[in-house]
Amino acid sequence: MIRIPIDLGAAAYEVLIGAGLLTSIGQEAGRLFPERKACAVVSDSTVAPLHADKVMESLKTQGFQPILIVVPAGEPSKCFGQLEQIVREMIRAGLDRKAFLVALGGGVIGDLAGFAAAIHYRGIPYLQVPTTVLAQVDSSVGGKTGINTAEGKNLIGAFHQPKLVLADVETLGTLPRRAWNEGFAEIIKHAAIQDATLLPLIREVAVGEGNMSELIARNVAIKGRIVAADEFETKGLRALLNFGHTIGHAIESCAGYGELLHGEAIALGMKAALHLSCKHTGLTSAAAGEINDLIAMFHLPTHLPATMTDAAILEKLSRDKKFDQGQIRFVLLDSIGSAHLSDVVTRRDLQEAIDHLR
Ligand SMILES: NC(=O)c1ccc[n+]([C@@H]2O[C@H](COP(=O)([O-])OP(=O)(O)OC[C@H]3O[C@@H](n4cnc5c(N)ncnc54)[C@H](O)[C@@H]3O)[C@@H](O)[C@H]2O)c1
Ligand SMILES: [Zn+2]
């Protein structure tokens, strides 16, 4: 098992990474919460039948009294309705401020259940047990929780750091191939902005070799370092994690439901951002090629869906909150592992970057 500390002062916690960790959650909770007994395990309708038994058993063995709350799998569950269901079910089951919560699932469950923990009796502690690649390397670390509304994604939420993240790489074994591949977009992003030495390990994992626990751990360390330096996203550092996400988000929101997964849209956004980095900050085409090759190794898309128009993407981009008085704050690479925020990218550049994805 690998332990990565997330250095957040009073809110510091550890991320544990390894194979078969689900069965040790009771022990870990016992260590963290010697005074607490009641808890809720929140999961979704796909993950619960696959993995909840182990978690429930492990908690019961250590003398906890867990209830299991299951929401429908998928992004639509990140909503006020499901949030209300969760906290009301906890209240009805007698879980008060002395209870704790376990979020077992992908980023949807982490965000939704984490937010429920943030507001239940004005805040109870919680553990993140991420079960997707994306959740293990990205969403479970950093304490951002929240839900979506019709007005936009993640506009309602709270910073609420977990007391522990337990990433069991064995749970990733039940992921469909497309969901597995999707998560590597964020891994490639981490390497691109912070750590060129990660590339060989990513290549090894792509061909079925390489140590997945080590790869997850190194990514958690990268995300953790950035979060620790900029916990509330006020210093611009956390914004580097938006590499590939400006154009990527616009593409994602233009796509029809289920047409492009988040990581697939981000892969396209990274290809566009690499192109603009070559143009503006002297990233070599060889370096851009290395990242693009990795994207292709995980069968992530390299071209826009033919039906998606330039006008639609540009319209979404103009609504991006990173647009400020006609200028867009854009993450560019100088070299692999070195990123910075820039305002040199123009609307014409954005058009050129979209052309590059045709
Ligand atoms: N809080 C943050 O900092 C942060 C960062 C990035 C993304 N996010 C959020 O994360 C969400 C996306 O996360 P996600 O991609 O994990 O989505 P997800 O939670 O919807 O999981 C994807 C799908 O995989 C299924 N699944 C999960 N684990 C599985 C397993 N082990 N085996 C089989 N199936 C499994 C789920 O049921 C779901 O259908 C978005 O809502 C996004 O906004 C949050
Ligand atoms: Zn992302």
Side-chain angles (χ1 to χ4, degrees), residues 44 46-47 50-51 73-75 78 105-109 111 131-132 134-135 138-139 141 144-145 153-154 171-172 174-176 179 182 223 238:
D44 76 25
T46 302
V47 178
L50 294 169
H51 302 294
E75 187 73 24
K78 256 176 72 173
V108 164
I109 290 299
D111 284 13
T131 62
T132 63
L134 177 138
D138 187 354
S139 61
V141 178
K144 278 192 189 175
T145 71
K153 283 193 67 180
N154 301 321
T171 62
L172 305 177
T174 55
L175 277 177
E182 176 206 10
K223 172 111 195 234
R238 208 162 166 160

Side-chain angles (χ1 to χ4, degrees), residues 55-348:
V55 171
M56 297 294 282
E57 271 316 302
S58 173
L59 287 165
K60 285 178 192 161
T61 305
Q62 296 295 320
F64 291 106
Q65 293 142 8
I67 60 164
L68 179 63
I69 301 177
V70 178
V71 305
E75 187 73 24
S77 280
K78 256 176 72 173
C79 65
F80 271 117
Q82 292 299 338
L83 179 73
E84 181 182 355
Q85 295 283 341
I86 292 169
V87 290
R88 289 181 60 192
E89 198 166 331
M90 286 166 65
I91 294 167
R92 285 197 298 268
L95 272 65
D96 60 15
R97 74 167 72 82
K98 294 201 233 61
F100 67 94
L101 185 151
V102 177
L104 171 69
V108 164
I109 290 299
D111 284 13
L112 172 68
F115 190 33
I119 62 172
H120 189 72
Y121 279 81
R122 300 195 180 80
I124 59 170
Y126 76 115
L127 311 183
Q128 287 272 18
V129 186
T131 62
T132 63
V133 176
L134 177 138
Q136 294 197 353
V137 301
D138 187 354
S139 61
S140 66
V141 178
K144 278 192 189 175
T145 71
I147 56 170
N148 307 324
T149 64
E151 288 71 26
K153 283 193 67 180
N154 301 321
L155 299 182
I156 312 291
F159 284 100
H160 189 45
Q161 301 290 347
K163 295 292 179 214
L164 180 78
V165 181
L166 200 138
D168 183 345
V169 294
E170 260 176 22
T171 62
L172 305 177
T174 55
L175 277 177
R177 178 55 56 180
R178 192 175 166 199
W180 164 269
N181 284 336
E182 176 206 10
F184 281 81
E186 308 291 352
I187 290 178
I188 295 168
K189 175 192 81 178
H190 284 153
I193 62 170
Q194 290 276 300
D195 187 0
T197 70
L198 208 52
L199 298 189
L201 181 56
I202 302 176
R203 277 188 214 106
E204 278 172 40
V205 171
V207 295
E209 295 159 15
N211 183 326
M212 190 62 179
S213 292
E214 184 193 341
L215 183 60
I216 300 283
R218 288 182 62 181
N219 276 273
V220 166
I222 290 171
K223 172 111 195 234
R225 206 166 54 227
I226 292 177
V227 166
D230 188 11
E231 184 178 358
F232 299 107
E233 201 165 0
T234 48
K235 300 178 191 157
L237 240 179
R238 208 162 166 160
L240 297 181
L241 293 166
N242 286 329
F243 178 66
H245 279 60
T246 303
I247 294 177
H249 272 152
I251 292 170
E252 187 178 9
S253 54
C254 286
Y257 186 77
E259 190 181 3
L260 281 178
L261 298 175
H262 173 74
E264 294 171 344
I266 296 317
L268 289 164
M270 284 196 286
K271 183 178 176 189
L274 289 166
H275 178 74
L276 294 181
S277 299
C278 290
K279 178 173 180 181
H280 284 295
T281 50
L283 181 75
T284 64
S285 55
E290 250 190 289
I291 302 290
N292 281 324
D293 287 350
L294 265 184
I295 289 172
M297 281 183 95
F298 289 94
H299 309 287
L300 293 163
T302 51
H303 293 90
L304 286 170
T307 50
M308 200 177 284
T309 66
D310 291 9
I313 300 170
L314 288 166
E315 202 269 331
K316 295 281 185 202
L317 271 168
S318 67
R319 293 189 196 193
D320 192 295
K321 59 184 182 229
K322 292 183 274 318
F323 247 113
D324 189 16
Q325 295 168 2
Q327 281 193 319
I328 194 153
R329 280 184 299 134
F330 206 94
V331 184
L332 294 174
L333 298 188
D334 315 297
S335 58
I336 300 176
S338 170
H340 68 273
L341 263 184
S342 163
D343 55 13
V344 300
V345 171
T346 63
R347 275 169 201 268
R348 269 187 66 180

